[in-house]
Amino acid sequence: MTVAAVRRADFLMALAYATDLATGHSRDFALRSCVLAMRFAEVAGLDESMRRKIYHQALLRYIGCNADTHLLAAAWGDEITLRRELHHIDMGNREEFVAIFVRAITRKLPGASPDELAKAVERGLAEGPQVNIPILSGHCEVAQRIAERIGLPEEIRENLGQIYERWDGKGLPRGLKGDAVKFPVRVVTLAQDAIALIDHLGFDALKAKIAERAGGAYETELAELFLAHCEALVKGLDGPVDRETILALEPLPHAMLDEAECEEAYLAIADMIDMRMPFTFGHSRAVAALATAAGKRAGLPAADIRAVRWAAYTHDIGELAIPVSTWMRAGALTERETDAAHLHPYHGERALSPLGGDGKSVAALVLRHHERLDGTGYHRYAKASDLSPAARILAAAEAFQTGREARPYRPALSDGAAASKLRGAVREGKLCPEAVEAVLASAGQPARRDSAERLSGLTPREIEVLRLIAAGHTAKEAARQLDIAPKTADNHIQSLYSKIGVATRAAAALYALERGLVQAGMSAA
Ligand SMILES: [Fe+2]
């Protein structure tokens, strides 16, 4: 069954939600800035082509900003807080910029003496361009590549290559000036700064700040047009914006994605999430490959296999809300960090649930990817009855893949050790045995020897006898096949009947079938 076509704008909103989290922006920041920029386009009488560029620039401006975040975190500490503090300042104003920088260094080096701090600030300012310019260039390039993968044309992508450039030439990484900065970039920079100023300083201070920056960050003509219509432009934009508003604003024709294009869009999101830190590189693709193969092995319907693959691509989208500096630190998370980390499935569900097509199923799986059968997972403490076979497979695939990847606070487990850990979680009642075995078999792990617990404490010989009698052999035939005395085979049968709580061969056969001990077509000769 193919999935219904999905509005590409829905994917843009999912990406916008995720990048708002990663960049420390307020709720619906990109969506609000899109509304503002499109209102501005209306006031300025811009044509459909320009409006299309502005619409996409507003929603996608920061989609490349996950690249190399670990370098940013290594240089500056908590990068989300730093980004939040930078939003409302004039980046071309050295005094304002240095003040934020000093605050970041002070946060990064708690307990440092004033002398040590002064040296760190001096060094940071001297090395700043060397560190930041390649990172910001990378953000632009990655944004353009992601945009290409979700099918956006060059005329839209080229604007994402200038996201940090300014009218006065004080932007980065190329210091483009005046008309060399493309018009949609200039409009969206002004609109997004306005939303950040509303968030930080309120409506009253907005006009003064925009006027102050006219001729600097923004060309005077644009700033004047904005100020002339300011009240109408920003009306109601201090609160959330709904999905329908953004869908309605998309210039015609509305772009639709078919199943293959959705696959690529979900995959682009996977790569965007994983490129934040070197140790998660390729993680979501690997989880998806395992979950897809396990889903097939477990006989899930095609629609469920597709949903679990797309959920695997995007399962950690909500992790963008947690600073990279948190993950890069060796040692345990604080309680507050743990609480924040445990909410990432919630953010993931929120980012994805508005998606059409299979979006709701995908979001429901993402929401549950850290839940456990015994209610010890997070963040909803769901129980077995709330966890579908697909959800169980995703949880097992995620746990196995994460186990065999290194993290700054622990080395990678070998595949065998990761498999043992998963089977341990099965014994503890946390993970589903069938899902775990399907994942491990898909990863090329040898099938487990059925544990005594799963088979009610049966010995290996009793299991062999059970397999044979379940397949229709008599006790005598089983004894012959196993090269044991008939009396011994009888004893094994009585013992295993007692252990599994049955009284007849038929019930024992059903027990064996339920546990996968009897293969299809296996029968007595
Ligand atoms: Fe996760």
Side-chain angles (χ1 to χ4, degrees):
M1 189 182 73
T2 55
V3 70
V6 173
R7 282 281 294 271
R8 182 165 57 205
D10 272 335
F11 272 99
L12 307 186
M13 282 188 267
L15 285 162
Y17 181 88
T19 49
D20 283 351
L21 291 177
T23 52
H25 279 108
S26 53
R27 166 95 182 258
D28 289 345
F29 170 81
L31 271 54
R32 290 189 287 145
S33 77
C34 180
V35 174
L36 175 51
M38 293 303 279
R39 286 179 185 170
F40 187 86
E42 194 70 40
V43 164
L46 302 178
D47 66 19
E48 202 76 345
S49 162
M50 189 56 78
R51 286 152 50 87
R52 186 175 301 110
K53 292 174 190 172
I54 287 171
Y55 179 83
H56 289 89
Q57 181 75 359
L59 292 176
L60 298 179
R61 183 178 179 193
Y62 292 113
I63 53 169
C65 297
N66 280 324
D68 290 336
T69 307
H70 63 290
L71 297 178
L72 210 56
W76 302 79
D78 177 345
E79 82 285 354
I80 293 183
T81 300
L82 170 66
R83 282 169 158 165
R84 187 176 296 122
E85 289 176 344
L86 289 170
H87 294 152
H88 64 279
I89 70 160
D90 179 354
M91 295 282 276
N93 181 326
R94 186 173 165 81
E95 207 171 295
E96 286 189 43
F97 179 75
V98 169
I100 300 294
F101 178 77
V102 169
R103 213 184 297 172
I105 292 286
T106 308
R107 252 194 324 264
K108 192 187 167 207
L109 302 172
S113 69
D115 191 41
E116 287 167 330
L117 277 178
K119 281 187 180 145
V121 168
E122 203 181 315
R123 196 169 49 246
L125 285 173
E127 293 171 358
Q130 233 175 308
V131 174
N132 296 332
I133 287 179
I135 294 176
L136 300 183
S137 301
H139 290 178
C140 294
E141 199 178 349
V142 167
Q144 291 174 301
R145 291 185 73 88
I146 293 174
E148 188 175 5
R149 287 174 59 182
I150 54 178
L152 292 168
E154 171 62 21
E155 59 169 23
I156 287 173
R157 298 197 308 262
E158 63 183 5
N159 300 309
L160 294 169
Q162 298 190 353
I163 57 174
Y164 302 117
E165 304 292 351
R166 295 166 44 118
W167 175 254
D168 59 5
K170 291 185 180 176
L172 291 172
R174 290 185 282 162
L176 299 175
K177 196 170 179 178
D179 290 336
V181 183
K182 294 188 177 298
F183 187 71
V185 176
R186 283 153 33 209
V187 170
V188 169
T189 299
L190 174 56
Q192 296 206 331
D193 284 1
I195 298 293
L197 287 166
I198 292 169
D199 288 343
H200 195 77
L201 303 174
F203 281 121
D204 293 344
L206 172 65
K207 285 175 95 165
K209 279 285 174 192
I210 298 292
E212 188 183 304
R213 297 178 190 176
Y218 330 119
E219 64 196 287
T220 306
E221 200 183 322
L222 273 191
E224 283 176 351
L225 188 59
F226 179 88
L227 291 170
H229 299 274
C230 188
E231 281 75 15
L233 288 172
V234 302
K235 191 165 182 244
L237 291 184
D238 53 347
V241 169
D242 63 34
R243 169 178 174 262
E244 283 66 33
T245 301
I246 300 299
L247 291 178
L249 280 173
E250 184 186 5
L252 294 168
H254 294 161
M256 304 297 290
L257 303 184
D258 63 21
E259 186 175 334
E261 290 164 332
C262 284
E263 176 81 23
E264 185 58 26
Y266 277 111
L267 194 51
I269 295 177
D271 294 343
M272 182 194 83
I273 299 165
D274 292 350
M275 67 187 314
R276 226 174 154 218
M277 302 177 277
F279 49 85
T280 55
F281 218 75
H283 167 81
S284 303
R285 281 176 179 258
V287 174
L290 283 172
T292 303
K296 286 179 186 162
R297 198 174 279 273
L300 295 191
D304 288 4
I305 294 172
R306 182 175 58 222
V308 83
R309 182 171 64 256
W310 289 354
Y313 285 152
T314 51
H315 66 282
D316 275 341
I317 192 169
E319 263 199 14
L320 301 186
I322 303 150
V324 164
S325 53
T326 301
W327 300 122
M328 289 176 65
R329 201 186 61 224
L333 302 187
T334 63
E335 264 181 50
R336 207 185 174 121
E337 287 169 340
T338 303
D339 286 346
H342 282 187
L343 279 178
H344 80 265
Y346 158 78
H347 288 300
E349 195 242 0
R350 218 186 149 271
L352 299 164
S353 57
L355 282 170
D358 282 7
K360 287 240 173 315
S361 317
V362 172
L365 290 170
V366 166
L367 181 68
R368 291 165 175 78
H369 77 274
H370 285 295
E371 298 292 357
R372 295 295 181 252
L373 298 175
D374 62 354
T376 59
Y378 56 87
H379 75 287
R380 293 164 72 236
Y381 311 111
K383 291 235 168 147
S385 58
D386 187 37
L387 300 174
S388 66
R392 295 170 186 213
I393 283 174
L394 179 59
E398 192 280 339
F400 180 69
Q401 182 57 31
T402 299
R404 60 182 182 171
E405 292 168 2
R407 294 289 182 265
Y409 48 90
R410 61 159 175 79
L413 296 175
S414 67
D415 284 8
S420 298
K421 197 171 170 199
L422 244 63
R423 287 177 174 138
V426 168
R427 284 193 296 278
E428 289 166 7
K430 295 180 187 307
L431 289 175
C432 167
E434 287 76 18
V436 163
E437 291 309 317
V439 166
L440 296 182
S442 303
Q445 285 294 299
R448 71 171 173 185
R449 295 188 58 188
D450 294 303
S451 71
E453 271 168 72
R454 179 165 170 263
L455 294 169
S456 306
L458 301 186
T459 65
R461 180 44 58 90
E462 286 166 353
I463 292 169
E464 288 179 275
V465 172
L466 174 59
R467 288 169 69 94
L468 290 167
I469 61 167
H473 293 283
T474 63
K476 213 183 256 181
E477 288 164 345
R480 197 163 47 239
Q481 287 214 18
L482 297 174
D483 197 21
I484 55 177
K487 177 77 183 155
T488 310
D490 271 327
N491 289 343
H492 285 315
I493 289 168
Q494 291 314 311
S495 169
L496 76 90
Y497 278 16
S498 151
K499 284 179 183 176
I500 66 176
V502 301
T504 63
R505 193 209 66 82
L510 183 61
Y511 177 92
L513 265 178
E514 287 165 353
R515 283 154 186 79
L517 292 177
V518 184
Q519 290 163 6
M522 182 176 163
S523 62

